[in-house]
Amino acid sequence: GENVEQHPSTLSVQEGDSAVIKCTYSDSASNYFPWYKQELGKRPQLIIDIRSNVGEKKDQRIAVTLNKTAKHFSLHITETQPEDSAVYFCAAKGGSYIPTFGRGTSLIVHP
Amino acid sequence: DAGVIQSPRHEVTEMGQEVTLRCKPISGHDYLFWYRQTMMRGLELLIYFNNNVPIDDSGMPEDRFSAKMPNASFSTLKIQPSEPRDSAVYFCASSFRTNFEAFFGQGTRLTVV
């Protein structure tokens, strides 16, 4: 089945800096890559997703890039703010027809 | 729609007791997932249903865990007997076909003492 690796497990940045979270996947048939944000004590919620027919997608301060050849995708957050502090999960949907989640990255934005 | 609804939000039980977690998916969604979240193992998929039929339960850790979906608007996850290592946050999520966003419930925080 699909295997998703996510790095780093913890990321600490200063307010205003950029943050990058990287994920790799194993199933070359994967075609859908969502990113979820989970604030402390809350449920995971989708913040952005990308499908295999595009290489990059942006939504205000967040962007996701996909390299299908290398089988990796990344989340980029620019001009980070304290409210960006949360756990971020990447996921990949492959041949099993359900998303497989990475282990999560705890992002801490210091004011 | 109120979103995915889980109950209870918190459950504290003694080792050996039966625990039942409940989930009401978003109306019209045809996939339902049960996840377990711990610090050690992250977000683990336990089982998922498509049109009320269990498709893959390979993530269910032991025979002590069972899940049912008697109709399109209700699912349960049961642990019998419960053990302290079952302590975790259990999430239910639903989606309309797997290419679309999975909506998570608020989760049930289970503590087995």
Side-chain angles (χ1 to χ4, degrees), chain B residues 35-46:
Chain B
Y35 289 93
R36 178 172 68 176
Q37 186 176 35
T38 61
M39 288 294 292
M40 290 295 294
R41 302 171 72 89
L43 204 58
E44 301 175 272
L45 177 68
L46 301 178

Side-chain angles (χ1 to χ4, degrees), chain B residues 1-22:
Chain B
D1 200 312
V4 177
I5 300 172
Q6 289 186 248
S7 64
R9 292 291 309 278
H10 303 274
E11 177 80 33
V12 180
T13 190
E14 292 186 346
M15 182 174 64
Q17 297 297 306
E18 177 180 297
V19 175
T20 298
L21 312 181
R22 296 173 175 80

Side-chain angles (χ1 to χ4, degrees), chain B residues 55-77:
Chain B
I55 303 301
D56 185 352
D57 66 354
S58 60
M60 297 284 259
E62 301 169 36
D63 291 344
R64 298 184 296 107
F65 286 69
S66 62
K68 295 181 180 179
M69 193 166 184
N71 56 63
S73 59
F74 184 66
S75 177
T76 60
L77 178 67

